Amino acid sequence: MRISGLGSHAVSHWRSLLLVVAAIVPCQTFASAPAEEGETRTGLYGHADEGTGGSSTQSGAEDSSTWPRLGGHVGLAVPMVKIATGGTTAIGADFLQIGIASGVTIKLDERWAIDLEGVGYTTWQFADGGTSARASTSFVVDPGVVYNCGSFATGLRAAVQIGEGVPFNLGLIPLVNFGLFPLGKFKWFVELDLPFFVLGEPGSSATVSFSPQIQTGVSF
């Protein structure tokens, strides 16, 4: 084939250039196909290789946007001191008390959660003067709202004491919760609770009580 106006040397250069272009274009087309497929997967599922840490088979990015979620906790609650209208008593000196706390947590998003907690207490009251020693059990229903601040969580619970001989009562429990470190699929936590109760019976004046306690256990 003759190309008008070009010498044989120029024609040779043009043929070489066309051969190089013909070789490069299919290779680039073939190489771009997996990238486009990968981009499509990322758009649909986020980070495809990121695990969720749970039983879900979805990617971590997709799972992270799924709210609400369920969690919970179980632990021991130990009141340290009781400050009431009738006086102040301390654990070890006047009484022994321990509670088993458990709850179901509804995590609304990364920050807010509703915690449905209940604590069963067993108490041994020491003898005091003319009052003989006695034992009792009680149960506190204390659902609340918890806010995750990052390094710690804080919240407020509404509470009612239930048990034999327990008068009419209503309480509020501010709390501060610290997650310490993971234990497999759980996390060990320590919590400071500040229960404040108002109690009353017909024909009697209302009394107030304040009994700070430490709660520790595992959450999930």
Side-chain angles (χ1 to χ4, degrees):
M1 176 179 179
R2 177 182 178 87
I3 302 178
S4 178
L6 295 176
S8 61
H9 186 67
V11 170
S12 177
H13 279 292
W14 277 106
R15 287 178 177 175
S16 300
L17 181 59
L18 289 174
L19 289 174
V20 171
V21 171
I24 291 176
V25 170
C27 293
Q28 287 193 345
T29 303
F30 177 80
S32 64
E36 292 175 357
E37 184 181 358
E39 290 174 0
T40 302
R41 287 197 300 267
T42 302
L44 289 175
Y45 302 110
H47 303 290
D49 295 332
E50 183 180 352
T52 64
S55 59
S56 174
T57 58
Q58 297 177 343
S59 70
E62 186 180 19
D63 185 67
S64 65
S65 62
T66 304
W67 302 98
R69 303 179 189 172
L70 286 178
H73 68 275
V74 61
L76 298 178
V78 181
M80 306 306 296
V81 64
K82 293 183 179 181
I83 304 172
T85 304
T88 300
T89 56
I91 189 170
D94 302 290
F95 68 90
L96 289 177
Q97 186 177 45
I98 189 169
I100 298 178
S102 62
V104 175
T105 305
I106 304 172
K107 302 173 183 179
L108 303 177
D109 55 30
E110 294 180 352
R111 295 292 184 181
W112 291 99
I114 298 174
D115 193 48
L116 308 177
E117 185 184 71
V119 187
Y121 290 97
T122 182
T123 306
W124 187 281
Q125 192 75 35
F126 298 157
D128 181 18
T131 304
S132 59
R134 62 189 185 278
S136 63
T137 58
S138 61
F139 189 79
V140 175
V141 179
D142 57 336
V145 177
V146 180
Y147 181 78
N148 182 7
C149 299
S151 59
F152 67 95
T154 185
L156 181 66
R157 304 182 187 276
V160 173
Q161 301 178 32
I162 303 172
E164 184 179 357
V166 177
F168 174 87
N169 66 90
L170 189 63
L172 292 175
I173 307 178
L175 67 93
V176 180
N177 181 291
F178 296 91
L180 299 181
F181 54 82
L183 297 170
K185 294 185 178 181
F186 303 93
K187 175 173 280 189
W188 183 29
F189 71 90
V190 173
E191 181 176 299
L192 173 63
D193 298 324
L194 303 172
F196 178 84
F197 280 90
V198 177
L199 305 94
E201 295 186 36
S204 302
S205 299
T207 62
V208 296
S209 69
F210 176 64
S211 53
Q213 70 176 15
I214 297 296
Q215 183 180 152
T216 185
V218 293
S219 61
F220 55 92

Coordinates of all heavy atoms in Angstrom, one line a residue, residues 24 26 38 43 99 105 110 124 141 148 162 165 174 183 190 197:
I24 N -1.6 -2.2 23.1 CA -1.9 -1.6 24.4 C -3.4 -1.5 24.7 O -3.8 -1.8 25.8 CB -1.3 -0.2 24.5 CG1 0.3 -0.3 24.5 CG2 -1.7 0.6 25.7 CD1 1.0 1.0 24.5
P26 N -6.2 -3.3 24.0 CA -6.9 -4.5 24.6 C -6.4 -4.8 26.0 O -7.2 -5.2 26.8 CB -6.5 -5.7 23.6 CG -6.1 -5.0 22.3 CD -5.5 -3.7 22.7
G38 N -14.9 -4.2 41.1 CA -14.6 -3.9 42.5 C -15.2 -2.6 42.9 O -15.7 -2.5 44.1
G43 N -19.4 0.2 46.2 CA -20.6 1.0 46.2 C -21.8 0.4 46.9 O -22.6 1.0 47.5
G99 N -26.0 -7.4 95.3 CA -27.0 -7.6 94.3 C -26.5 -8.2 93.0 O -25.3 -8.0 92.6
T105 N -30.1 -4.2 76.7 CA -29.8 -2.9 76.2 C -30.3 -2.8 74.7 O -29.9 -3.6 73.9 CB -28.3 -2.6 76.2 OG1 -27.9 -2.8 77.6 CG2 -28.0 -1.2 75.8
E110 N -25.1 4.9 67.7 CA -23.7 4.8 68.2 C -23.6 5.5 69.6 O -22.7 5.2 70.4 CB -22.7 5.4 67.3 CG -22.5 4.7 66.0 CD -21.5 5.3 65.1 OE1 -21.0 6.4 65.4 OE2 -21.2 4.7 64.1
W124 N -28.1 -8.6 104.8 CA -28.0 -9.1 106.1 C -27.7 -7.8 107.0 O -26.7 -7.2 106.9 CB -26.8 -10.1 106.3 CG -26.8 -10.7 107.6 CD1 -26.3 -10.1 108.8 CD2 -27.2 -12.0 108.0 NE1 -26.4 -11.0 109.8 CE2 -27.0 -12.2 109.4 CE3 -27.8 -13.0 107.3 CZ2 -27.3 -13.3 110.1 CZ3 -28.2 -14.2 108.0 CH2 -27.9 -14.3 109.4
V141 N -36.4 -2.5 90.0 CA -36.6 -2.3 88.6 C -36.2 -0.9 88.2 O -36.7 0.1 88.7 CB -38.1 -2.5 88.2 CG1 -38.3 -2.4 86.7 CG2 -38.6 -3.9 88.7
N148 N -23.4 7.3 75.3 CA -22.0 7.0 75.1 C -21.2 8.2 74.8 O -21.4 8.8 73.7 CB -21.9 5.9 74.0 CG -20.5 5.5 73.8 OD1 -19.6 5.8 74.6 ND2 -20.2 4.7 72.8
I162 N -38.9 -3.3 95.1 CA -40.0 -4.2 95.3 C -39.6 -5.3 96.3 O -38.4 -5.7 96.3 CB -40.4 -5.0 94.0 CG1 -40.8 -3.9 92.9 CG2 -41.5 -6.0 94.2 CD1 -40.9 -4.6 91.5
G165 N -42.3 -5.7 102.9 CA -42.1 -4.6 103.9 C -41.5 -3.4 103.3 O -41.2 -2.4 104.0
P174 N -28.6 8.4 88.8 CA -27.6 8.8 87.9 C -26.5 7.8 87.9 O -26.2 7.1 88.9 CB -27.1 10.1 88.4 CG -28.2 10.6 89.4 CD -28.8 9.3 89.9
L183 N -13.2 -9.1 76.9 CA -13.0 -10.5 77.3 C -13.7 -11.4 76.3 O -14.8 -11.8 76.4 CB -13.6 -10.7 78.7 CG -13.0 -9.9 79.8 CD1 -13.8 -10.0 81.1 CD2 -11.5 -10.4 80.1
V190 N -17.0 -1.2 84.8 CA -17.2 -0.8 86.2 C -18.1 0.4 86.1 O -17.9 1.3 85.3 CB -15.9 -0.4 86.8 CG1 -16.1 0.2 88.2 CG2 -15.0 -1.6 87.0
F197 N -33.7 7.8 96.6 CA -35.1 7.3 96.7 C -35.9 8.2 97.7 O -35.3 8.7 98.7 CB -35.1 5.9 97.2 CG -34.9 4.8 96.1 CD1 -33.6 4.4 95.9 CD2 -35.9 4.3 95.4 CE1 -33.4 3.5 94.9 CE2 -35.7 3.4 94.4 CZ -34.4 2.9 94.2

